Amino acid sequence: MTDVFEEVEEDIRSERLKRLARNWLPIVGGILLVALVAALAWWGWQSFQTSRAHAGSIAYQRGLEALQTGNSAGAETAFAEAEKDGNGAYKALALQQRAGLAVAANRIPDAIKLFDEAAKASGDPILHDTAVYKSVLLMMDNGATLEELEARLEPLTKEGRPMLPFAQEALGMARLQFNKPAEAREVFVLLTLGQDVPDSVRQRAQAAIGMIDTGVAAGLPAIVTAQSVTPPAAPAPTPEQLAQAAQAAQQ
């Protein structure tokens, strides 16, 4: 009789296991399949990013070599290739190099646009903030309003941002440029008290405070405006022109 009971219990356990297998095996299999797909997708993405970084680094290096030889056209082509084929970091670096070439060619609006694109190309705070900072420096000399400059600079002056002291310095100079010495002085004082401020920036901040306190800084906006409307000096005469003028005087 005991053997019969044991056989019945064994049959019951076997049936329960079969029922559990039928209910749970599809779910477990689905979870494992999703995990496998996710792992393969992650591996594929990593491989794709690695290949893009490699392609970007090769093109970027070609651009640097072209710059060293003075081949601006070749550098522009190589950096454009790095921008197209590289990952986010190399795209940001290549765009900043292209912006530098635009500055050298006096294409300032193009340079500002390229720096803005570089800031958006990578999530790296150093690459982003450096590009924004460079664009602001160009905008300061090319008709930007104080509101536009502050909107770009103030996020860069938050605690922990990589360009914090340089952005603070630019913010102070922008306020000086727009005849706001009191607001500028507050920024420069913060720079003199900061812990991680480079010595060169600290010294310039101290000099700016001295200019503000002595009233020298009050004349800066007028000087900048006068320089912007003063016609350029006439070019020096060439030797041929001097010779022709001498002959005309003798006649």
Side-chain angles (χ1 to χ4, degrees), residues 178-200:
F178 284 88
N179 200 25
K180 292 185 176 291
E183 292 86 342
R185 192 181 191 282
E186 293 177 0
V187 177
F188 291 130
V189 169
L190 289 176
L191 281 172
T192 62
L193 300 176
Q195 296 295 320
D196 298 319
V197 178
D199 289 339
S200 58

Side-chain angles (χ1 to χ4, degrees), residues 8 67-68 123 126 149 159 164 168 175 186 196 202 212:
V8 171
L67 276 182
Q68 292 174 353
I126 295 178
L149 298 175
E159 191 66 33
L164 190 155
Q168 281 184 320
R175 289 174 177 173
E186 293 177 0
D196 298 319
R202 193 188 308 274
I212 294 171

Side-chain angles (χ1 to χ4, degrees), residues 17 19 24 27 29 35 39-40 65 100 107 114 119 122 138 166 239:
L17 289 174
R19 190 163 54 247
W24 287 100
I27 298 174
L40 289 173
E65 291 171 355
R107 295 185 288 109
L114 288 167
S122 173
L138 293 177
F166 301 99

Side-chain angles (χ1 to χ4, degrees), residues 132-133 136-137 140 145-158 163-191 201 204-205 208 212:
V132 174
Y133 172 73
V136 168
L137 294 185
M140 287 175 67
T145 65
L146 179 59
E147 289 74 19
E148 290 173 332
L149 298 175
E150 287 180 333
R152 289 173 176 252
L153 285 171
E154 286 179 348
L156 273 59
T157 62
K158 304 300 182 183
M163 296 294 292
L164 190 155
F166 301 99
Q168 281 184 320
E169 181 184 31
L171 182 61
M173 294 305 298
R175 289 174 177 173
L176 268 187
Q177 182 179 347
F178 284 88
N179 200 25
K180 292 185 176 291
E183 292 86 342
R185 192 181 191 282
E186 293 177 0
V187 177
F188 291 130
V189 169
L190 289 176
L191 281 172
V201 175
R204 289 195 295 269
I212 294 171

Side-chain angles (χ1 to χ4, degrees), residues 29-117:
I31 293 173
L32 292 175
L33 180 61
V34 170
L36 177 61
V37 171
L40 289 173
W42 174 253
W43 176 81
W45 172 253
Q46 289 292 94
S47 299
F48 174 69
Q49 288 298 312
T50 300
S51 65
R52 290 198 68 184
H54 180 66
S57 67
I58 292 175
Y60 188 79
Q61 183 60 37
R62 285 207 317 271
L64 293 179
E65 291 171 355
L67 276 182
Q68 292 174 353
T69 60
N71 182 6
S72 298
E76 174 71 25
T77 300
F79 289 135
E81 183 180 338
E83 173 194 345
K84 177 184 176 183
D85 298 336
N87 61 359
Y90 276 107
K91 182 177 181 178
L93 290 170
L95 283 165
Q96 290 200 46
Q97 291 288 357
R98 291 186 61 204
L101 290 170
V103 172
N106 201 30
R107 295 185 288 109
I108 304 304
D110 290 341
I112 294 173
K113 181 180 177 181
L114 288 167
F115 278 130
D116 288 345
E117 291 177 7

Side-chain angles (χ1 to χ4, degrees), residues 192-242:
T192 62
L193 300 176
Q195 296 295 320
D196 298 319
V197 178
D199 289 339
S200 58
V201 175
R202 193 188 308 274
Q203 291 168 6
R204 289 195 295 269
Q206 292 170 343
I209 292 172
M211 293 173 62
I212 294 171
D213 291 345
T214 57
V216 176
L220 288 179
I223 294 172
V224 172
T225 301
Q227 288 178 340
S228 65
V229 300
T230 301
T238 64
E240 292 79 7
Q241 290 173 331
L242 289 174

